[in-house]
Amino acid sequence: MTENTQQQPASNPELPTQYAPAQVEGKLYERWVERGYFEADAKSEKPAYTIVIPPPNVTGALHLGHAFQVTLMDALTRRKRMQGFETLWLPGMDHAGIATQNKVEQQLAEEGKSRHDLGREAFTERVWQWKEEYGGRILGQLRRLGAGLDWSRERFTMDEGLSRAVQTIFKKLYDDELIYRAERIINWCPRCLTAISDIEVEYQEDSGELVSLKYGEGDETVVVATTRVETMLGDTAVAVHPDDPRYAHLIGKRIKLPLTDRTIPVVADTHVDPEFGTGAVKVTPAHDPNDFAIGQRHGLESLTIMDERAVITVPGPFQGLDRFEARSAIVAALREQGRIVAEKRPYVHSVGHCSRCKTTIEPRLSLQWWVKVGPLAQAAGDAVRDGRVAIHPADMSKRYFDWVDNMYDWCISRQLWWGHRIPVWYGPNGEMVCVGPDEQPPAGEGWTQDPDVLDTWFSSGLWPFSTLGWPERTPDLEKFYATDVLLTGHDIIFFWVARMMMFGLYAMDGEAPFHTVALTGLVRDETGKKMSKSNPNSVDPLDWMDAYGSDAVRFTLAKGANPGADVPIGEDWVQASRNFANKIWNATRFALMNGATVEGELPPAERLSAADRWILSRLNKTVAEVDAYYDDYQFAKLSDALYHFAWDEVFDWYVELSKTTYFEGGEQAKVSARVLGEVLDVTLRLLHPVVPFVTETLWTTLTGGESLVIADWPGDSGFRDEAAEKEIELVQRVVTEVRRFRSDQGLQPGQKVPARLDLAGTALAPHEPAIRQLLRLQPEGEGFSATATLPVAGATVALDLSGVIDVGAERKRLAKDLAAAEKEKAQAGAKLGNEAFLAKAPEQVVGKIRQRLAHAEEEIARISAQLEALPVR
């Protein structure tokens, strides 16, 4: 069946009666690391398989989203390692510029200081100290989860090698005129005092006000509406649609801007929707991205009316007011002048907030550094279109194309002190020099380096190749680039995936950074709601690992992982996964106690019982099924297939079917013990990538092998026995039907009942001892009376229920249930026979009634069969 099964099992292997994850997991993981199982060798002749972990923030702690993706990546790499690949799963952390700087600034604030009290150099040193002392705790938590990462290659986006990569690609992009400096509208956080990326903006529904204002006088009056009244101080035009007849007489004229001494022009622009509102919009180029574009098209002046802290700077009565204070004061002043036409309050609308400090974002015109993304985005789109990179699931590719085909130039500068400083120097006479990693910056009086740092996404966009030693052609880069799969959430396809694609193709001569992008959904609570620290539904996965073990958390997450779909998870499901781990433990323990072994060759088919041949046939089908699911990133389906094979077919059926063989002893018992050992060996290998700890403990005990981490992945031997599968299916039908009948009669599972089995002439005959054992059926004795007869699968099972149940009471109960089912059938049938009802009722309602009718008919058939099986007396 598989290689490496001919191990020497431990002598008299014993397992504790219960599985205790806390006593197993930590020790096992440290042993794996100490033995170097996760370390990849760039000199190996094995084919490479590479995944780089999406680098968690150095400030981060493990949450369920991390645990989810890490579990799936670990499963992929563990399987590939077992399949004989030189597998590299590279760990590391992101320096997380704004988040980390905020952490240290908060620390300083508690000391009554600010970063400005320390100065840039001392502050940066303080951040490095914080990183060494407090940062990176998530990496220890990944170990706790069992992540098989190559810790010898751990990287950090601010380490020396990655810093060199950042400076190299900045210089290359600059020289190729793909990086430039310009004034544009950016997302500005007045609290963090920096530009922030789109992904760092969180939108939420805020309650504000919509105010309609009257500009101009008399016939030259225009009404505009805004939720940010304070920005009217920076208006430099009113825009209308060129074909709107209401404003044709105003286009090209200038009108009075209230509360100021200025007049502003009325311009015609097709961006304006004449059907929306009054069909006229105020234009504030310095404080709105759409207005900025209008201003560019019409050569309008851009007036910045706020400073970096969102305080009004326009001379006059509002100067020095915070933007929100100014909003109220300006509305009051306009109302006094009769300029307020309408006020809608509350007006609920979507407002952007800084994801770090929750401050309302201010669109702001600012001089920043930008990447010209046009040619880079084109290449990123082409790589997917021509098949070099596959997006999985395929329907997610539309979202990818929507982004890369319509990408705006990327603002890469941040007004922070922690991060990769922009390698540009300015001279005393307006000179500007970009410096590469092997070049000396210009010296002399008046030369200064740009104070800004680069967006965190700039360095993380280099992650797939900078971590492997680029810009040098290192052995790691030669062996492990391009990476095989990027597994990440669909929520960052725009921000991280696209940037890695652009930079990878650009830096690596057209070779994409990964062959496949496997997109996952987001983890949600059991009701489908988003988990949030501010909500009571937030869960710390470490708490669940403490309570139920890491395997249980991993299996629950994998079992919910359908490609691209969100993953609901609740504690009950983790408990169920813990029960599964316990089931694996108890069944393997039973098998070992009954001689299950991997010693010797697997006996030939002619020496195997039908149950042996059935389980080996099902085992090979499961191997093929699991392989296909892995190759298609169908983690939920592969987990479900393994769950049902292990629990239902191996533990509930094969082990139970084999018990009579073990009890009888002899040669056949030895054969079944070898088959059971084989089945457990392969099943534990299949389960290992998802539930590594419990499987490692059981497999090494069963086989005496060194470790499942380096064991061979099971192959499909091709063994199939359809006849044996059909034969055992008949046994299962008999057992299932009689169990159902026993349950319907109120019999306890362990309650013994005298029975006569008429199996002659059927494939069931050899299985009578097993059927009796599974159903707790005693041989018929003196005075046996067949009070209930069940025809099943061509055989007959006669039961003597006299003295076991109250036949009269049972008949009354069933008759009552039958009457209820017949009434339900009549009601549903009547509705479905009513043409007027069918013509008016929604299809969904009609469908439910059809389901009710079908269920009622099934109930009638079931209850009637039970009544017929009851004794007449």
PDB file of all heavy atoms in Angstrom, residues 55-78:
ATOM      1  N   PRO A  55       3.399  37.943   6.068  1.00  0.00           N
ATOM      2  CA  PRO A  55       4.071  38.307   7.324  1.00  0.00           C
ATOM      3  C   PRO A  55       3.141  39.030   8.289  1.00  0.00           C
ATOM      4  O   PRO A  55       2.615  40.101   7.962  1.00  0.00           O
ATOM      5  CB  PRO A  55       5.201  39.236   6.860  1.00  0.00           C
ATOM      6  CG  PRO A  55       4.733  39.789   5.544  1.00  0.00           C
ATOM      7  CD  PRO A  55       3.917  38.710   4.915  1.00  0.00           C
ATOM      8  N   PRO A  56       2.906  38.454   9.458  1.00  0.00           N
ATOM      9  CA  PRO A  56       2.063  39.155  10.435  1.00  0.00           C
ATOM     10  C   PRO A  56       2.785  40.387  10.969  1.00  0.00           C
ATOM     11  O   PRO A  56       4.018  40.453  10.952  1.00  0.00           O
ATOM     12  CB  PRO A  56       1.861  38.113  11.538  1.00  0.00           C
ATOM     13  CG  PRO A  56       3.047  37.207  11.429  1.00  0.00           C
ATOM     14  CD  PRO A  56       3.395  37.168   9.971  1.00  0.00           C
ATOM     15  N   ASN A  57       2.023  41.344  11.440  1.00  0.00           N
ATOM     16  CA  ASN A  57       2.608  42.543  12.033  1.00  0.00           C
ATOM     17  C   ASN A  57       3.413  42.190  13.273  1.00  0.00           C
ATOM     18  O   ASN A  57       3.003  41.338  14.074  1.00  0.00           O
ATOM     19  CB  ASN A  57       1.516  43.548  12.406  1.00  0.00           C
ATOM     20  CG  ASN A  57       0.929  44.231  11.189  1.00  0.00           C
ATOM     21  OD1 ASN A  57       1.375  44.005  10.064  1.00  0.00           O
ATOM     22  ND2 ASN A  57      -0.067  45.061  11.402  1.00  0.00           N
ATOM     23  N   VAL A  58       4.519  42.868  13.445  1.00  0.00           N
ATOM     24  CA  VAL A  58       5.359  42.638  14.613  1.00  0.00           C
ATOM     25  C   VAL A  58       4.589  42.950  15.897  1.00  0.00           C
ATOM     26  O   VAL A  58       4.912  42.432  16.965  1.00  0.00           O
ATOM     27  CB  VAL A  58       6.653  43.478  14.513  1.00  0.00           C
ATOM     28  CG1 VAL A  58       6.349  44.958  14.609  1.00  0.00           C
ATOM     29  CG2 VAL A  58       7.661  43.070  15.566  1.00  0.00           C
ATOM     30  N   THR A  59       3.549  43.782  15.790  1.00  0.00           N
ATOM     31  CA  THR A  59       2.728  44.124  16.961  1.00  0.00           C
ATOM     32  C   THR A  59       1.618  43.122  17.200  1.00  0.00           C
ATOM     33  O   THR A  59       0.902  43.208  18.189  1.00  0.00           O
ATOM     34  CB  THR A  59       2.071  45.499  16.754  1.00  0.00           C
ATOM     35  OG1 THR A  59       1.229  45.442  15.590  1.00  0.00           O
ATOM     36  CG2 THR A  59       3.108  46.578  16.572  1.00  0.00           C
ATOM     37  N   GLY A  60       1.439  42.183  16.279  1.00  0.00           N
ATOM     38  CA  GLY A  60       0.227  41.367  16.272  1.00  0.00           C
ATOM     39  C   GLY A  60       0.223  40.230  17.282  1.00  0.00           C
ATOM     40  O   GLY A  60       1.245  39.797  17.803  1.00  0.00           O
ATOM     41  N   ALA A  61      -0.996  39.739  17.520  1.00  0.00           N
ATOM     42  CA  ALA A  61      -1.219  38.530  18.307  1.00  0.00           C
ATOM     43  C   ALA A  61      -2.104  37.608  17.475  1.00  0.00           C
ATOM     44  O   ALA A  61      -2.861  38.058  16.616  1.00  0.00           O
ATOM     45  CB  ALA A  61      -1.899  38.864  19.644  1.00  0.00           C
ATOM     46  N   LEU A  62      -1.970  36.328  17.727  1.00  0.00           N
ATOM     47  CA  LEU A  62      -2.705  35.338  16.935  1.00  0.00           C
ATOM     48  C   LEU A  62      -4.207  35.533  17.092  1.00  0.00           C
ATOM     49  O   LEU A  62      -4.728  35.571  18.203  1.00  0.00           O
ATOM     50  CB  LEU A  62      -2.315  33.929  17.387  1.00  0.00           C
ATOM     51  CG  LEU A  62      -2.869  32.786  16.544  1.00  0.00           C
ATOM     52  CD1 LEU A  62      -2.163  32.742  15.196  1.00  0.00           C
ATOM     53  CD2 LEU A  62      -2.692  31.454  17.268  1.00  0.00           C
ATOM     54  N   HIS A  63      -4.901  35.689  15.964  1.00  0.00           N
ATOM     55  CA  HIS A  63      -6.363  35.662  15.996  1.00  0.00           C
ATOM     56  C   HIS A  63      -6.835  34.542  15.088  1.00  0.00           C
ATOM     57  O   HIS A  63      -6.028  33.856  14.439  1.00  0.00           O
ATOM     58  CB  HIS A  63      -6.956  37.026  15.619  1.00  0.00           C
ATOM     59  CG  HIS A  63      -6.563  37.541  14.275  1.00  0.00           C
ATOM     60  ND1 HIS A  63      -6.905  36.913  13.089  1.00  0.00           N
ATOM     61  CD2 HIS A  63      -5.844  38.632  13.911  1.00  0.00           C
ATOM     62  CE1 HIS A  63      -6.441  37.596  12.062  1.00  0.00           C
ATOM     63  NE2 HIS A  63      -5.777  38.644  12.529  1.00  0.00           N
ATOM     64  N   LEU A  64      -8.132  34.312  15.044  1.00  0.00           N
ATOM     65  CA  LEU A  64      -8.646  33.158  14.311  1.00  0.00           C
ATOM     66  C   LEU A  64      -8.345  33.241  12.816  1.00  0.00           C
ATOM     67  O   LEU A  64      -8.172  32.216  12.157  1.00  0.00           O
ATOM     68  CB  LEU A  64     -10.156  33.014  14.535  1.00  0.00           C
ATOM     69  CG  LEU A  64     -10.545  32.277  15.819  1.00  0.00           C
ATOM     70  CD1 LEU A  64     -12.045  32.338  16.049  1.00  0.00           C
ATOM     71  CD2 LEU A  64     -10.087  30.823  15.771  1.00  0.00           C
ATOM     72  N   GLY A  65      -8.282  34.467  12.281  1.00  0.00           N
ATOM     73  CA  GLY A  65      -7.938  34.612  10.874  1.00  0.00           C
ATOM     74  C   GLY A  65      -6.532  34.112  10.588  1.00  0.00           C
ATOM     75  O   GLY A  65      -6.290  33.408   9.604  1.00  0.00           O
ATOM     76  N   HIS A  66      -5.573  34.471  11.472  1.00  0.00           N
ATOM     77  CA  HIS A  66      -4.217  33.948  11.335  1.00  0.00           C
ATOM     78  C   HIS A  66      -4.226  32.421  11.445  1.00  0.00           C
ATOM     79  O   HIS A  66      -3.630  31.717  10.625  1.00  0.00           O
ATOM     80  CB  HIS A  66      -3.306  34.481  12.454  1.00  0.00           C
ATOM     81  CG  HIS A  66      -2.968  35.923  12.351  1.00  0.00           C
ATOM     82  ND1 HIS A  66      -3.103  36.788  13.419  1.00  0.00           N
ATOM     83  CD2 HIS A  66      -2.513  36.685  11.326  1.00  0.00           C
ATOM     84  CE1 HIS A  66      -2.724  37.999  13.054  1.00  0.00           C
ATOM     85  NE2 HIS A  66      -2.371  37.961  11.789  1.00  0.00           N
ATOM     86  N   ALA A  67      -4.878  31.926  12.505  1.00  0.00           N
ATOM     87  CA  ALA A  67      -4.889  30.487  12.756  1.00  0.00           C
ATOM     88  C   ALA A  67      -5.469  29.733  11.566  1.00  0.00           C
ATOM     89  O   ALA A  67      -4.990  28.652  11.198  1.00  0.00           O
ATOM     90  CB  ALA A  67      -5.685  30.186  14.023  1.00  0.00           C
ATOM     91  N   PHE A  68      -6.488  30.305  10.945  1.00  0.00           N
ATOM     92  CA  PHE A  68      -7.148  29.690   9.794  1.00  0.00           C
ATOM     93  C   PHE A  68      -6.174  29.534   8.626  1.00  0.00           C
ATOM     94  O   PHE A  68      -5.955  28.431   8.111  1.00  0.00           O
ATOM     95  CB  PHE A  68      -8.346  30.565   9.408  1.00  0.00           C
ATOM     96  CG  PHE A  68      -9.014  30.194   8.121  1.00  0.00           C
ATOM     97  CD1 PHE A  68      -9.447  28.907   7.890  1.00  0.00           C
ATOM     98  CD2 PHE A  68      -9.221  31.153   7.146  1.00  0.00           C
ATOM     99  CE1 PHE A  68     -10.069  28.570   6.696  1.00  0.00           C
ATOM    100  CE2 PHE A  68      -9.852  30.834   5.958  1.00  0.00           C
ATOM    101  CZ  PHE A  68     -10.277  29.533   5.730  1.00  0.00           C
ATOM    102  N   GLN A  69      -5.562  30.636   8.221  1.00  0.00           N
ATOM    103  CA  GLN A  69      -4.671  30.568   7.063  1.00  0.00           C
ATOM    104  C   GLN A  69      -3.410  29.765   7.353  1.00  0.00           C
ATOM    105  O   GLN A  69      -2.919  29.030   6.491  1.00  0.00           O
ATOM    106  CB  GLN A  69      -4.335  31.986   6.606  1.00  0.00           C
ATOM    107  CG  GLN A  69      -5.539  32.719   6.028  1.00  0.00           C
ATOM    108  CD  GLN A  69      -5.197  34.107   5.523  1.00  0.00           C
ATOM    109  OE1 GLN A  69      -4.055  34.537   5.575  1.00  0.00           O
ATOM    110  NE2 GLN A  69      -6.197  34.811   5.035  1.00  0.00           N
ATOM    111  N   VAL A  70      -2.882  29.892   8.559  1.00  0.00           N
ATOM    112  CA  VAL A  70      -1.687  29.139   8.923  1.00  0.00           C
ATOM    113  C   VAL A  70      -1.974  27.637   8.917  1.00  0.00           C
ATOM    114  O   VAL A  70      -1.146  26.831   8.466  1.00  0.00           O
ATOM    115  CB  VAL A  70      -1.159  29.605  10.295  1.00  0.00           C
ATOM    116  CG1 VAL A  70      -0.121  28.638  10.858  1.00  0.00           C
ATOM    117  CG2 VAL A  70      -0.548  31.004  10.170  1.00  0.00           C
ATOM    118  N   THR A  71      -3.135  27.245   9.387  1.00  0.00           N
ATOM    119  CA  THR A  71      -3.514  25.829   9.359  1.00  0.00           C
ATOM    120  C   THR A  71      -3.512  25.284   7.934  1.00  0.00           C
ATOM    121  O   THR A  71      -2.982  24.197   7.666  1.00  0.00           O
ATOM    122  CB  THR A  71      -4.912  25.642   9.985  1.00  0.00           C
ATOM    123  OG1 THR A  71      -4.851  25.943  11.382  1.00  0.00           O
ATOM    124  CG2 THR A  71      -5.414  24.225   9.803  1.00  0.00           C
ATOM    125  N   LEU A  72      -4.080  26.044   7.013  1.00  0.00           N
ATOM    126  CA  LEU A  72      -4.153  25.577   5.628  1.00  0.00           C
ATOM    127  C   LEU A  72      -2.766  25.526   4.989  1.00  0.00           C
ATOM    128  O   LEU A  72      -2.435  24.570   4.271  1.00  0.00           O
ATOM    129  CB  LEU A  72      -5.081  26.485   4.810  1.00  0.00           C
ATOM    130  CG  LEU A  72      -6.510  26.646   5.346  1.00  0.00           C
ATOM    131  CD1 LEU A  72      -7.363  27.406   4.333  1.00  0.00           C
ATOM    132  CD2 LEU A  72      -7.142  25.303   5.669  1.00  0.00           C
ATOM    133  N   MET A  73      -1.941  26.549   5.224  1.00  0.00           N
ATOM    134  CA  MET A  73      -0.577  26.533   4.683  1.00  0.00           C
ATOM    135  C   MET A  73       0.231  25.383   5.278  1.00  0.00           C
ATOM    136  O   MET A  73       1.021  24.728   4.579  1.00  0.00           O
ATOM    137  CB  MET A  73       0.112  27.873   4.939  1.00  0.00           C
ATOM    138  CG  MET A  73      -0.377  29.002   4.047  1.00  0.00           C
ATOM    139  SD  MET A  73       0.535  30.552   4.310  1.00  0.00           S
ATOM    140  CE  MET A  73      -0.338  31.201   5.731  1.00  0.00           C
ATOM    141  N   ASP A  74       0.051  25.133   6.559  1.00  0.00           N
ATOM    142  CA  ASP A  74       0.771  24.046   7.203  1.00  0.00           C
ATOM    143  C   ASP A  74       0.356  22.703   6.607  1.00  0.00           C
ATOM    144  O   ASP A  74       1.194  21.826   6.375  1.00  0.00           O
ATOM    145  CB  ASP A  74       0.519  24.067   8.712  1.00  0.00           C
ATOM    146  CG  ASP A  74       1.503  23.202   9.476  1.00  0.00           C
ATOM    147  OD1 ASP A  74       2.696  23.197   9.102  1.00  0.00           O
ATOM    148  OD2 ASP A  74       1.097  22.532  10.435  1.00  0.00           O
ATOM    149  N   ALA A  75      -0.939  22.540   6.349  1.00  0.00           N
ATOM    150  CA  ALA A  75      -1.417  21.296   5.742  1.00  0.00           C
ATOM    151  C   ALA A  75      -0.781  21.089   4.363  1.00  0.00           C
ATOM    152  O   ALA A  75      -0.333  19.991   4.024  1.00  0.00           O
ATOM    153  CB  ALA A  75      -2.940  21.313   5.644  1.00  0.00           C
ATOM    154  N   LEU A  76      -0.735  22.162   3.565  1.00  0.00           N
ATOM    155  CA  LEU A  76      -0.139  22.049   2.228  1.00  0.00           C
ATOM    156  C   LEU A  76       1.333  21.652   2.305  1.00  0.00           C
ATOM    157  O   LEU A  76       1.794  20.767   1.583  1.00  0.00           O
ATOM    158  CB  LEU A  76      -0.269  23.381   1.487  1.00  0.00           C
ATOM    159  CG  LEU A  76      -1.669  23.805   1.043  1.00  0.00           C
ATOM    160  CD1 LEU A  76      -1.628  25.217   0.466  1.00  0.00           C
ATOM    161  CD2 LEU A  76      -2.235  22.830   0.012  1.00  0.00           C
ATOM    162  N   THR A  77       2.093  22.319   3.171  1.00  0.00           N
ATOM    163  CA  THR A  77       3.528  22.069   3.219  1.00  0.00           C
ATOM    164  C   THR A  77       3.848  20.721   3.858  1.00  0.00           C
ATOM    165  O   THR A  77       4.798  20.037   3.438  1.00  0.00           O
ATOM    166  CB  THR A  77       4.262  23.194   3.971  1.00  0.00           C
ATOM    167  OG1 THR A  77       3.627  23.414   5.239  1.00  0.00           O
ATOM    168  CG2 THR A  77       4.226  24.487   3.180  1.00  0.00           C
ATOM    169  N   ARG A  78       3.087  20.315   4.859  1.00  0.00           N
ATOM    170  CA  ARG A  78       3.327  18.994   5.466  1.00  0.00           C
ATOM    171  C   ARG A  78       3.086  17.882   4.438  1.00  0.00           C
ATOM    172  O   ARG A  78       3.852  16.922   4.360  1.00  0.00           O
ATOM    173  CB  ARG A  78       2.437  18.794   6.694  1.00  0.00           C
ATOM    174  CG  ARG A  78       2.918  19.545   7.930  1.00  0.00           C
ATOM    175  CD  ARG A  78       1.993  19.338   9.114  1.00  0.00           C
ATOM    176  NE  ARG A  78       2.435  20.086  10.283  1.00  0.00           N
ATOM    177  CZ  ARG A  78       3.253  19.635  11.221  1.00  0.00           C
ATOM    178  NH1 ARG A  78       3.743  18.400  11.132  1.00  0.00           N
ATOM    179  NH2 ARG A  78       3.601  20.379  12.254  1.00  0.00           N
TER     180      ARG A  78
END
